[in-house]
């Protein structure tokens, strides 16, 4: 994971499945961050998620290219909110 030895894959799962996988099976905590997206931003987010789903190829790195960094990149692609773009 530190050297990119894992192939990174995008999965589409239901929220209940993710909650079970992370909290029960993975013993990891989750936090909720409400998204306040205007309708055009929401539509852009969905379009971009579909594009990524069908074309994504990448390597998984624990520190730099992980689930959190990929999710943040997706959110940034759908929103012009300066607060969101200030997060790294």
């Amino acid at each position: 994971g530190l050297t990119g030895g894992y192939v990174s894959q995008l999965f589409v799962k239901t929220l209940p499945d993710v909650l079970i996988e992370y909290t029960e099976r993975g013993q990891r905590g989750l936090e909720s961050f409400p998204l306040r997206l205007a309708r055009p931003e929401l539509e852009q987010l969905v379009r971009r998620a579909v594009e990524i789903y069908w074309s994504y190829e990448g390597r998984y790195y624990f520190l730099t290219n992980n689930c959190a960094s990929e999710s943040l990149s997706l959110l940034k692609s759908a929103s012009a909110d300066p607060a969101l773009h200030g997060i790294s």
Side-chain angles (χ1 to χ4, degrees), residues 10-80:
L10 177 66
F11 293 98
V12 177
K13 297 181 180 187
T14 65
L15 180 58
D17 288 342
V18 171
L19 292 174
I20 290 169
E21 182 177 330
Y22 273 72
T23 59
E24 292 179 16
R25 293 187 193 134
Q27 298 295 307
R28 296 186 272 177
L30 291 177
E31 292 188 40
S32 174
F33 296 96
L35 299 176
R36 293 180 186 91
L37 300 175
R39 183 69 186 192
E41 292 174 319
L42 179 59
E43 291 170 358
Q44 175 62 20
L45 178 70
V46 171
R47 275 194 299 273
R48 186 68 184 124
V50 170
E51 288 173 7
I52 291 170
Y53 180 78
W54 289 109
S55 65
Y56 183 81
E57 290 183 30
R59 306 303 280 166
Y60 186 92
Y61 294 87
F62 287 137
L63 303 176
T64 59
N65 188 44
N66 53 44
C67 298
S69 64
E70 292 291 343
S71 297
L72 181 59
S73 177
L74 174 62
L75 291 173
K76 286 179 177 181
S77 74
S79 176

